[in-house]
Amino acid sequence: MNGFRIHLGSAWLALGCLVQLSIAQSSPAYQTLDDRRPAPRKLQAEPVELSRLPRTFGMALSADGRQLRSVDVNGRVWQRPVGRRSPHAKTDAADAPGADSDTKEPRLVAETNCEPACAVLSPDARSLAYATADGNVAVLNLDADRLRFRDEATRERTVTLAFSPDGRSLAGVTARGAVRVWNSDTGKRILEFAAAASPVQTVAFSPDGQQLAIASHGTNVRLYRVDRQHDVPTTSESTAKTIRAGNARVTALAYAPDGKRLVIATAAGTVHVHDLVADRAPTQLGTHPFAIWSIVFSRDGRRMAAGSWDGTIKIWNSASWDFLQSVKKHEESVAALVFDDESGLYSAGLDGRLLAWQLEVFSVSPVGMIAGRDDSAWVAVYPPDGRRLFVGGRNNRFELWDVESKRLLVTRAGHPTTRCAAFSPDGATLATGGDDGRIFLCDAVSGQTRTTLLRHPGALSAVLFADAGQTLVSACDGGLVKVWDAATGQEQGSWQEHRQQIYCASISPDEKWLVTGGGNWTTGDPGELIVWERQTGRVRARLAGHRLAVWSIVFMPDGERFFSSDSAGAVKVWNVETLAEERTLQHASWIRPLALSPDGGTLAVGRGDGSVRLWDTSTWTEKGSCEGHTSFTFWLQYAPDGKTLAGCGSDGTVRFWEPERVVAEHGADGIAR
């Protein structure tokens, strides 16, 4: 028996060594990052609907960016003011793009008196080119409301039209692949040839107007030289060059503003970038779930958007080709896109909706991060003095860091997954809760466990100190709230009023109220939100309004309001005295963590795409986003001095941002001067 005990002890020792070796091999380390490089701004969470009209063929902005013109399937051209408003303007419906005019309704500025086979607006929105059903191609001057020219030399149906970026040339391709290029002012043909035996899907001019990219219903793209000095149209294809984009039909083309790259999209939902200088095989950026029908670059060339058949719009940083974000509000295919540097993105869908996606005020890059482990980081917590940081997560992750030196002080095995943590008010004790149903009360300096609290039937979702650190309140996925004597570890009470799981909890600044939230994220049932009298455990109210599970709760420092987030992308603002819902801050994707700056002026909201949205709590407007996480954000907390926001996520990293410094040093747009 003694021999068995010796062998068993050796086995446990070996296992412990393996765990420690695994942790040591992971080598988590702090990395300083460059946060001063200009970062393309993202779109705000929700678009503004400008109007509902028949299907839109195309859109264009005036040179000053203040008027948006669109042409619909009935050949009518509409105009609406969109303006370039202050980034600090309120984002209510009353202040939406177009609200600075006497009317929000679009104004009819021209009609073609036909249902065109295809139509396109010039880049400056001053001209409309369209093809009639019998093959004629015409250009209309919209400012003077007069016909610029009409070419009646062909009876073959024209299926696509494109202006050159300077508006001087117009290209049209027929159903049989015949290409014609006109001088858009005089109507003189400057190029004419047969491009393909099959119908052409799309055509695009290079930025200098000297090259034409054409894609038929096949998988190839052909490039042609356009000599705009010819007196007689050429029919030679000797300058043609072929690019193979993949195995799917090409559906959209766009040149990058520098003219050195060509973006090719396909019916399979793929997006490829071809380097025209190096002439390498196209690089695939990513894949939409459905065919892509529209591609557009912002005027400054720093962003590119692609719209697909299912209404999704994806955006990339066109300098690095890093993926920025995905938005979806259209119920059908995205037919046209316009991207302005200041006002944002405009999208038109086959659902008849014309949407304006406004840009955020600024984008903040992280100043540093803790990396080196693949295990998800679930929690990052500062003590009251802000001198240390605890990081916990999957695979026994337990780390204590020195904030000033950025050194890892302690690493040891913790819970299988640490789900929540809190420091006591005096900073001497660290409480951690895990998916094993246990709570560790640890020495905040050495990290050693002093006491282990049991009796939770599910994974811990919250641990909170109260009564100057004498009381610990905990909640778990099993729907239980427990109250403990933090000094002795004795359980003082157990409350169960949740019908489903508890995912979050928060105590009001005066410690009078406890609010718990939860639901069941797997079933799609409405979220639960319960307000308790903390001392007695009596339920004060059950608050309705969350369509899906509630994930985070935070109180304002003055205790007058609290916020709650859910899987449906809603952040609700509640009045503590009346328990009335004051407003909802709606986002387009799942919201999990919330954090308030110590002064209560900024609410940080962690989204399912890894970004962190920043809301101004005095104006209730989105004022920016913190970038860096590549996947789900699990936890957010401001440092006690309010200068740093820490966030951890499923990518295994902890990111650190300084949003207030960015505003102070760079200005509201977040770009260094």
Side-chain angles (χ1 to χ4, degrees):
M1 186 68 175
N2 288 339
F4 174 76
R5 287 176 177 168
I6 292 173
H7 289 307
L8 182 61
S10 299
W12 279 109
L13 179 62
L15 179 61
C17 290
L18 285 174
V19 169
Q20 293 298 328
L21 179 61
S22 172
I23 294 173
Q25 287 175 336
S26 300
S27 302
Y30 182 91
Q31 300 176 12
T32 300
L33 302 175
D34 178 14
D35 71 319
R36 296 178 184 272
R37 53 186 173 81
R41 289 183 282 163
K42 287 190 175 183
L43 304 179
Q44 290 192 10
E46 289 295 306
V48 176
E49 183 173 303
L50 298 182
S51 61
R52 286 182 179 264
L53 293 170
R55 174 187 170 187
T56 297
F57 269 138
M59 298 186 296
L61 277 173
S62 59
D64 63 5
R66 296 185 179 278
Q67 301 290 334
L68 179 69
R69 284 176 172 170
S70 60
V71 54
D72 67 25
V73 70
N74 297 316
R76 295 175 296 187
V77 179
W78 302 90
Q79 177 175 298
R80 56 186 56 75
V82 289
R84 291 182 172 179
R85 303 176 306 111
S86 164
H88 299 289
K90 191 177 178 181
T91 54
D92 288 347
D95 293 294
D100 52 346
S101 66
D102 293 335
T103 175
K104 298 179 186 179
E105 295 301 319
R107 180 170 65 89
L108 183 65
V109 295
E111 292 187 77
T112 62
N113 298 315
C114 70
E115 294 185 4
C118 58
V120 64
L121 288 159
S122 60
D124 61 5
R126 300 182 67 182
S127 300
L128 169 70
Y130 63 96
T132 61
D134 57 6
N136 295 339
V137 173
V139 173
L140 186 65
N141 183 325
L142 297 176
D143 292 339
D145 193 19
R146 64 176 176 81
L147 194 65
R148 185 167 287 170
F149 81 82
R150 183 188 298 272
D151 187 329
E152 300 178 347
T154 178
R155 298 301 178 187
E156 189 176 318
R157 183 181 177 88
T158 298
V159 294
T160 185
L161 292 164
F163 276 100
S164 60
D166 62 8
R168 291 173 52 200
S169 302
L170 173 70
V173 188
T174 69
R176 295 184 181 180
V179 180
R180 294 173 177 82
V181 181
W182 297 268
N183 179 308
S184 61
D185 286 322
T186 66
K188 183 182 74 173
R189 292 191 190 181
I190 58 177
L191 189 62
E192 185 174 1
F193 60 89
S198 60
V200 168
Q201 179 72 49
T202 184
V203 59
F205 272 99
S206 60
D208 61 6
Q210 300 297 312
Q211 194 175 69
L212 195 62
I214 297 175
S216 68
H217 276 199
T219 60
N220 293 337
V221 178
R222 291 178 67 80
L223 307 181
Y224 297 88
R225 182 71 180 171
V226 179
D227 187 349
R228 297 195 280 194
Q229 303 306 314
H230 276 320
D231 292 328
V232 179
T234 178
T235 57
S236 171
E237 291 191 40
S238 60
T239 59
K241 176 181 178 181
T242 302
I243 299 172
R244 182 173 176 81
N247 298 319
R249 176 166 57 93
V250 176
T251 52
L253 295 170
Y255 281 88
D258 60 11
K260 298 177 180 179
R261 298 161 294 170
L262 178 66
V263 180
I264 305 168
T266 72
T270 58
V271 180
H272 301 85
V273 179
H274 184 81
D275 188 322
L276 298 174
V277 178
D279 198 23
R280 292 187 292 264
T283 300
Q284 183 169 320
L285 293 185
T287 303
H288 280 64
F290 299 97
I292 297 168
W293 295 112
S294 50
I295 300 174
V296 67
F297 282 87
S298 59
R299 292 188 179 187
D300 62 8
R302 297 173 60 205
R303 292 171 292 264
M304 184 195 76
S308 76
W309 177 82
D310 71 332
T312 299
I313 301 169
K314 291 191 176 183
I315 301 172
W316 287 267
N317 178 336
S318 52
S320 62
W321 294 117
D322 292 334
F323 176 71
L324 291 178
Q325 71 182 123
S326 177
V327 294
K328 185 180 186 302
K329 277 296 177 180
H330 286 291
E331 299 162 3
E332 297 183 46
S333 179
V334 179
L337 294 168
V338 172
F339 213 151
D340 184 59
D341 303 337
E342 295 184 38
S343 58
L345 180 72
Y346 300 91
S347 62
L350 296 189
D351 54 5
R353 302 175 73 198
L354 182 57
L355 305 178
W357 304 82
Q358 294 175 283
L359 289 170
E360 291 174 336
V361 177
F362 62 88
S363 179
V364 184
S365 298
V367 296
M369 71 173 178
I370 295 172
R373 289 188 62 157
D374 295 329
D375 312 318
S376 297
W378 276 71
V379 57
V381 181
Y382 290 97
D385 63 9
R387 297 174 61 184
R388 285 188 171 85
L389 181 76
F390 168 74
V391 177
R394 291 188 60 197
N395 293 332
N396 302 285
R397 186 168 184 174
F398 185 109
E399 301 159 13
L400 281 169
W401 294 80
D402 182 85
V403 170
E404 184 176 359
S405 67
K406 312 295 192 296
R407 289 190 306 112
L408 178 61
L409 302 175
V410 176
T411 179
R412 48 156 278 200
H415 305 277
T417 297
T418 300
R419 299 269 302 273
C420 52
F423 282 94
S424 59
D426 62 4
T429 302
L430 169 67
T432 66
D435 61 350
D436 53 5
R438 298 186 296 171
I439 300 171
F440 295 153
L441 297 180
C442 309
D443 183 278
V445 176
S446 68
Q448 295 300 308
T449 301
R450 297 171 179 162
T451 307
T452 300
L453 309 181
L454 305 175
R455 302 181 193 170
H456 270 291
L460 269 296
S461 53
V463 285
L464 307 164
F465 281 99
D467 302 325
Q470 298 179 40
T471 302
L472 183 73
V473 178
S474 60
C476 74
D477 285 1
L480 276 179
V481 176
K482 288 185 176 292
V483 181
W484 311 82
D485 184 308
T488 65
Q490 295 297 310
E491 183 179 329
Q492 296 180 325
S494 180
W495 315 330
Q496 185 155 19
E497 290 290 341
H498 276 267
R499 302 181 182 93
Q500 301 187 76
Q501 300 173 354
I502 299 177
Y503 296 144
C504 55
S506 184
I507 295 174
S508 60
D510 61 6
E511 299 190 350
K512 184 177 181 180
W513 310 109
L514 168 71
V515 182
T516 55
N520 189 330
W521 69 272
T522 64
T523 61
D525 293 333
E528 289 186 289
L529 196 60
I530 297 179
V531 181
W532 312 72
E533 292 180 358
R534 191 188 67 81
Q535 293 288 357
T536 65
R538 287 197 294 265
V539 173
R540 178 187 176 194
R542 295 178 180 271
L543 304 182
H546 282 288
R547 292 196 298 109
L548 296 175
V550 178
W551 287 101
S552 186
I553 300 164
V554 291
F555 276 88
M556 287 285 280
D558 60 12
E560 294 181 359
R561 295 179 179 86
F562 68 89
F563 303 84
S564 55
S565 66
D566 67 24
S567 301
V571 176
K572 293 188 178 293
V573 185
W574 305 89
N575 183 293
V576 171
E577 182 178 354
T578 64
L579 295 183
E581 179 186 334
E582 294 188 346
R583 67 180 64 231
T584 295
L585 311 177
Q586 187 62 49
H587 301 73
S589 67
W590 185 316
I591 301 299
R592 187 161 183 143
L594 301 174
L596 267 168
S597 58
D599 63 3
T602 302
L603 175 69
V605 179
R607 286 165 39 108
D609 62 3
S611 68
V612 179
R613 301 303 174 101
L614 303 174
W615 287 81
D616 187 315
T617 58
S618 62
T619 62
W620 303 112
T621 59
E622 272 192 86
K623 63 180 184 178
S625 70
C626 295
E627 309 302 327
H629 283 299
T630 58
S631 54
F632 221 108
T633 306
F634 284 139
W635 191 280
L636 292 170
Q637 186 179 8
Y638 276 91
D641 62 8
K643 296 179 180 179
T644 303
L645 174 65
C648 48
S650 58
D651 58 7
T653 67
V654 181
R655 310 265 174 165
F656 302 92
W657 302 275
E658 296 178 353
E660 299 308 318
R661 180 184 59 79
V662 170
V663 174
E665 295 182 4
H666 294 182
D669 60 4
I671 298 177
R673 303 303 180 205

